[in-house]
């Protein structure tokens, strides 16, 4: 159940961050509200996750997956450059999360 709530937290954070891009510095109401709601849901779900998954593992997966997904969204849908350096960076973030999880964080 912990990884299900963690997945929800990641999805909510990614949606919130994407909404923030469209909020135009919080000058547009609906994207601004979506940002606040998304982050609120993300933190509630992350807090629930921490009941069953160690904080180091949960945060590494949450931050790493969120970073990788936002970078991919930026490159695929928001016109950000898809350079080799960026793609290597995303792969390194994913590799770091895997290494932390293999390191016996439980």
């Amino acid at each position: 159940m912990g990884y299900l709530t963690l997945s929800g937290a990641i999805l909510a954070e990614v949606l919130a961050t994407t909404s923030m891009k469209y909020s135009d510095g919080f000058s547009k109401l609906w994207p601004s509200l979506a940002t606040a709601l998304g982050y609120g849901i993300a933190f509630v779900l992350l807090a629930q996750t921490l009941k069953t998954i160690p904080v180091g593992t949960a945060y590494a997966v949450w931050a790493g997956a969120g970073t990788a997904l936002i970078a991919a969204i930026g490159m695929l849908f928001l016109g950000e450059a898809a350079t080799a350096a960026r793609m290597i960076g995303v792969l390194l973030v994913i590799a770091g999360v895997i290494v932390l999880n293999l390191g016996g964080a439980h």
Side-chain angles (χ1 to χ4, degrees), residues 6-92:
L6 182 56
S7 296
I10 292 164
L11 178 62
E13 188 268 336
V14 167
L15 292 173
T17 302
T18 304
S19 295
M20 189 186 307
K21 168 71 175 163
Y22 291 103
S23 76
D24 197 27
F26 295 113
S27 65
K28 295 181 180 175
L29 178 63
W30 296 113
S32 298
L33 291 175
T35 299
L37 180 64
Y39 280 122
I41 291 168
F43 284 117
V44 167
L45 291 174
L46 183 60
Q48 293 303 309
T49 298
L50 297 179
K51 291 180 179 180
T52 58
I53 298 176
V55 68
T57 300
Y59 193 76
V61 172
W62 183 64
T67 299
L69 287 169
I70 287 298
I73 288 169
M75 289 184 278
L76 293 171
F77 302 110
L78 302 176
E80 296 178 7
T83 64
R86 281 180 176 233
M87 291 185 199
I88 290 168
V90 169
L91 291 173
L92 287 171

